[in-house]
Amino acid sequence: MKTIFDNVSYNCSKLVTETYSTSFALATKMLATSIRGDIYNIYGFVRFADEIVDTFHDYNKEVLFNDFEAELEKALKDKISLNPILNSFQYTYHKYDIPHHLVASFMKSMRMDLKKKEYRTTAEYKEYIYGSADVVGLMCLCVFVNGNQEKYEELKESAMALGSAFQKVNFLRDLKADYELLERSYFPNTNLSELDEVSKKRIVDEIKADFQLGYSGIVKLPSEAKFGVYTAYKYYSKLLQKLQNTPPLEIKNTRIRVPNYQKFGLLAKSYVNYKLQLV
């Protein structure tokens, strides 16, 4: 029965999430069971696309990406794929009527990473962020509101802002790997080879504004999604705080982390705030 294959596909997406991002996996576990699997399915898809452009250095990335994109489109059209990650994603895509332009924008930004190394203008930067992060937030929002178009439109802007904030925190945290290993520079008008406190503050302030707008939407999310998204928000806010308190030279030379004991402390505090209806 295909049900067995679909379960295997779902378990693959869950495994990808838990293997590649313990923090995101922890936040996803805080979602209601009715939607948790669909978020695994979205993450598995975006993670695999990102892996092609970021880590498969010994292979022809463009050929691999072209093949993956062709398989993706076929999966969305046929509603099945022998690639379990794409099979689970197409299920969620159709279940919630995720707009195709969101998927297309995501793939466009991932394709940029094949060759583009520097984002010199704000317009280029915003286009990349929209495709690599904002639309992922919108795909998840489709799941969270379960087809409620009015709610989707109400929360759309805040979901995009939260996606932007998460992505920009990752950029700042992974500055060493992106700049030195992948030779990428995402932040416009910023000399990463000479990152100083002024440039760092500008980036941090931009992220804080995104977080503020993103939080305004979290409080309006359905109960099935609120705690999980709030947990992710608290984790990334803590990571941003650590980055803000870290000298630029150290950010360039090390990867700043939130220790596991702090993650679980954040989870406990988030749960208390949620249960006391402070969110």
Side-chain angles (χ1 to χ4, degrees), residues 121-146:
T121 68
T122 301
E124 288 180 334
Y125 174 61
K126 286 184 175 180
E127 180 186 12
Y128 179 82
I129 290 288
Y130 173 77
S132 66
D134 294 9
V135 299
V136 178
L138 292 177
M139 287 186 223
C140 291
L141 184 61
C142 289
V143 175
F144 297 154
V145 302
N146 195 20

Side-chain angles (χ1 to χ4, degrees), residues 32-86:
T33 55
S34 59
I35 61 174
R36 192 180 303 162
D38 293 295
I39 301 304
Y40 287 142
N41 293 346
I42 291 172
Y43 183 88
F45 157 62
V46 301
R47 180 75 262 169
F48 267 31
D50 193 53
E51 282 302 295
I52 294 172
V53 299
D54 279 0
T55 63
F56 296 166
H57 308 307
D58 296 330
Y59 304 89
N60 189 320
K61 295 180 182 181
E62 188 166 8
V63 170
L64 290 175
F65 192 84
N66 289 342
D67 289 346
F68 184 76
E69 189 169 42
E71 289 179 34
L72 166 66
E73 292 303 323
K74 191 173 188 306
L76 299 182
K77 175 177 174 291
D78 297 344
K79 298 185 179 181
I80 189 173
S81 175
L82 294 182
N83 178 325
I85 296 299
L86 293 180

Side-chain angles (χ1 to χ4, degrees), residues 67-225:
D67 289 346
F68 184 76
E69 189 169 42
E71 289 179 34
L72 166 66
E73 292 303 323
K74 191 173 188 306
L76 299 182
K77 175 177 174 291
D78 297 344
K79 298 185 179 181
I80 189 173
S81 175
L82 294 182
N83 178 325
I85 296 299
L86 293 180
N87 186 59
S88 60
F89 176 69
Q90 68 78 22
Y91 168 81
T92 295
Y93 172 88
H94 289 292
K95 179 179 178 181
Y96 294 96
D97 292 322
I98 294 176
H100 186 269
H101 67 84
L102 299 181
V103 180
S105 292
F106 172 75
M107 294 298 285
K108 180 180 179 181
S109 283
M110 291 301 97
R111 185 174 288 279
M112 289 180 187
D113 277 337
L114 288 172
K115 295 180 180 178
K116 194 168 182 62
K117 299 296 184 182
E118 188 174 359
Y119 292 80
R120 298 182 179 180
T121 68
T122 301
E124 288 180 334
Y125 174 61
K126 286 184 175 180
E127 180 186 12
Y128 179 82
I129 290 288
Y130 173 77
S132 66
D134 294 9
V135 299
V136 178
L138 292 177
M139 287 186 223
C140 291
L141 184 61
C142 289
V143 175
F144 297 154
V145 302
N146 195 20
N148 186 328
Q149 194 61 32
E150 183 178 346
K151 196 72 173 175
Y152 178 87
E153 291 298 329
E154 178 188 3
L155 300 179
K156 181 178 178 180
E157 189 176 1
S158 60
M160 292 169 60
L162 198 60
S164 289
F166 290 171
Q167 179 73 301
K168 292 170 187 176
V169 169
N170 286 338
F171 284 164
L172 193 56
R173 179 195 61 187
D174 298 335
L175 192 146
K176 175 180 173 63
D178 285 337
Y179 189 63
E180 294 184 4
L181 301 180
L182 299 176
E183 299 180 334
R184 293 182 194 149
S185 177
Y186 290 107
F187 297 111
N189 306 313
T190 304
N191 184 354
L192 296 184
S193 63
E194 300 178 5
L195 183 69
D196 55 20
E197 281 293 343
V198 174
S199 298
K200 191 188 79 171
K201 184 180 184 302
R202 183 175 67 248
I203 294 169
V204 169
D205 288 346
E206 178 183 321
I207 299 172
K208 285 182 176 180
D210 286 333
F211 269 132
Q212 186 174 5
L213 179 54
Y215 181 78
S216 70
I218 292 175
V219 298
K220 299 176 182 177
L221 281 171
S223 59
E224 293 85 353

